[in-house]
Amino acid sequence: MTASLSADEQRVLDNLQRVEERLRTACMAAGRRRDEVTLMAVTKTVPPELINTVLDAGVTCIGENRVQEYLSKCDVLHLEGVERHLIGHLQTNKVRRIVGEVDMIQSVDSVHLAKAISDAAKMTKRGVIDVLVEVNIGGEESKSGVSPESLTELLDKIAAFDGIRVRGLMTIPPIFHTEFEKRAIFYKMHKLFIDIQGKKVDNGTMELLSMGMSSDFAEAVLEGSTLVRVGSAIFGERQYK
Ligand SMILES: *Cc1c(COP(=O)(O)O)cnc(C)c1O
């Protein structure tokens, strides 16, 4: 069986194993169990064959950024028992196309979008979809996400939407330069998460903290991440067409 793997497949499996080892080490250093952290494979720009390689190897969660791209690939993916998340910025006019096709939308950052997702979810079989609220923890102008200061207000406003279940928070931090900066911003995000957990969210559970990517997932785990989103460390540098 091994003999039939292409060079690309073998490289991706080797990468996956290295990521898994680093993740285990980080969990151990943090005094956390490995099963407290979900490893998501971020599959944007990755051809379906290579996505299937990691799914067949046991990865149980994938994330895609764009609605169109995901829909064009999902039919051939080995998705049995796999969680599918949309992690990219979502436009309201695309909501109806994606809501029935994924298990979670990680990028809710406005009342308007939350309402559109809730309304669309109510028309699907399940009637409800899990979401995370995206927080712009670095306060960067160019980034989507709600500011830490407006988070409580947003959560209060979307609490009445019964087509969504708010499961936690997600963040894409600024590009870091030092280890210290990484840890500090993840620490800040975790603190915000704990504070928000203390307040009761009506239609949610606040148990997931999605933070950490290829360059910083170990630091994110040390600071309390429960879901790391790893793309290039598994699949290699992305080839944008
Ligand atoms: C692309 C992407 C990732 C993965 O980035 P890598 O640095 O390749 O691991 C994670 N989260 C989001 C929201 C992304 O768009």
Side-chain angles (χ1 to χ4, degrees):
M1 222 190 119
T2 315
S4 67
L5 287 181
S6 71
D8 274 348
E9 287 170 324
Q10 191 57 59
R11 178 179 50 82
V12 164
L13 286 177
D14 291 345
N15 289 344
L16 178 63
Q17 196 175 352
R18 270 193 292 272
V19 166
E20 183 55 50
E21 275 161 21
R22 286 167 61 199
L23 198 49
R24 270 178 203 287
T25 306
C27 285
M28 218 169 334
R32 305 177 65 196
R33 293 195 322 267
R34 170 63 187 86
D35 65 7
E36 289 175 45
V37 184
T38 301
L39 171 62
M40 165 190 284
V42 175
T43 54
K44 59 175 179 255
T45 77
V46 178
E49 310 81 69
L50 284 182
I51 302 175
N52 282 335
T53 302
V54 301
L55 295 179
D56 295 346
V59 166
T60 56
C61 181
I62 58 168
E64 271 281 346
N65 288 63
R66 295 198 188 84
V67 171
Q68 220 96 26
E69 184 182 344
Y70 179 67
L71 295 180
S72 75
K73 293 194 287 200
C74 65
D75 282 351
V76 294
L77 297 180
H78 303 169
L79 291 172
E80 184 79 19
V82 172
E83 270 196 52
R84 309 148 301 166
H85 296 200
L86 188 81
I87 58 174
H89 180 69
L90 179 58
Q91 292 166 313
T92 32
N93 63 1
K94 302 227 172 94
V95 165
R96 280 171 58 190
R97 260 181 287 165
I98 195 71
V99 158
E101 302 294 329
V102 292
D103 303 293
M104 193 181 301
I105 294 176
Q106 291 209 357
S107 42
V108 169
D109 63 354
S110 71
V111 177
H112 181 61
L113 179 59
K115 176 82 165 59
I117 294 171
S118 177
D119 289 347
K122 284 196 264 186
M123 294 167 65
T124 63
K125 244 191 305 182
R126 278 186 286 189
V128 63
I129 188 166
D130 288 341
V131 302
L132 302 182
V133 170
E134 181 176 351
V135 178
N136 182 357
I137 193 69
E140 295 167 286
E141 299 247 332
S142 60
K143 284 252 170 80
S144 39
V146 65
S147 73
E149 296 73 32
S150 327
L151 177 59
T152 307
E153 190 189 335
L154 176 70
L155 289 170
D156 285 344
K157 284 187 175 154
I158 68 179
F161 301 159
D162 50 11
I164 57 173
R165 268 198 321 189
V166 182
R167 301 275 316 273
L169 305 178
M170 177 271 223
T171 197
I172 307 172
I175 293 167
F176 302 117
H177 301 288
T178 68
E179 189 85 0
F180 179 78
E181 283 176 317
K182 286 187 200 183
R183 292 289 295 267
I185 203 100
F186 286 141
Y187 174 83
K188 184 178 172 193
M189 187 66 205
H190 185 244
K191 187 169 181 313
L192 183 66
F193 177 63
I194 296 293
D195 288 348
I196 289 293
Q197 270 182 331
K199 302 173 183 161
K200 204 180 128 20
V201 186
D202 268 348
N203 59 348
T205 48
M206 271 298 155
E207 63 206 331
L208 301 180
L209 179 57
S210 168
M211 64 180 189
M213 317 203 297
S214 289
S215 61
D216 53 26
F217 67 85
E219 288 83 357
V221 166
L222 290 171
E223 298 297 346
S225 171
T226 72
L227 189 156
V228 293
R229 309 179 308 263
V230 181
S232 47
I234 296 174
F235 296 109
E237 287 307 313
R238 280 179 285 277
Q239 311 285 323
Y240 288 98
K241 280 177 220 121

